[in-house]
Amino acid sequence: MITKPDRPRVLLVDDYPDAREMYTEYLEFSGFDVVEAGNGMEALQRAVDTTPDIILMDLSLPVMDGWEATRRLKADKCTASIPVVALTGHALADISEGARKAGCDAFVTKPCLPEDLVREIRRILDRPPASSTKKSSRPGRNAKRS
């Protein structure tokens, strides 16, 4: 059986199926595995179940918005170290600052070109970890393999 090389896993959270489909196709084409969620509650469950390397979080979501979902992810020791990128149509400066206060590591305004989103994901995944004491249950992109 042929296995794929370890590809970074992205959790894409957006309530619009067309947006999820478009970004998923481009991210998979660009070398990522993608897991999708349509609301904040699904995002919390998928983050625990799949241990993504990064989360793309729309802020305006049904059931539980992206603000609250991000706060909960960052408060949970199992998901706190996963970078969260706010992916939203709100371009106001206070929205960006609010997203950072909620725990987002970066902010991307929609609509954005898929290649710009991929560039931002790679920038975040290629940064050295904030602390060498944080360990993931899944090797990151820069982990050495034996």
Side-chain angles (χ1 to χ4, degrees), residues 44-67:
L44 296 178
Q45 190 60 53
R46 298 264 191 314
V48 170
D49 292 345
T50 66
T51 318
D53 295 293
I54 191 166
I55 299 170
L56 304 178
M57 180 74 72
D58 187 6
L59 297 176
S60 299
L61 296 167
V63 184
M64 176 189 293
D65 66 31
W67 305 93

Side-chain angles (χ1 to χ4, degrees), residues 9-20:
R9 185 172 299 142
V10 176
L11 172 55
L12 173 63
V13 187
D14 198 305
D15 57 327
Y16 288 106
D18 290 346
R20 284 196 315 268

Side-chain angles (χ1 to χ4, degrees), residues 139-145:
R141 282 187 54 138
N142 294 325
K144 291 186 180 180
R145 299 172 213 274

Side-chain angles (χ1 to χ4, degrees), residues 97-138:
E97 182 58 29
R100 289 198 192 282
K101 285 181 180 175
C104 292
D105 299 273
F107 186 87
V108 175
T109 304
K110 291 191 298 187
C112 67
L113 294 172
E115 58 266 24
D116 292 341
L117 185 58
V118 166
R119 191 171 17 261
E120 183 66 9
I121 292 168
R122 291 193 194 286
R123 183 188 71 77
I124 291 169
L125 291 179
D126 288 343
R127 320 189 275 216
S131 167
S132 59
T133 60
K134 287 185 182 177
K135 294 193 180 186
S136 171
S137 60
R138 179 168 192 269

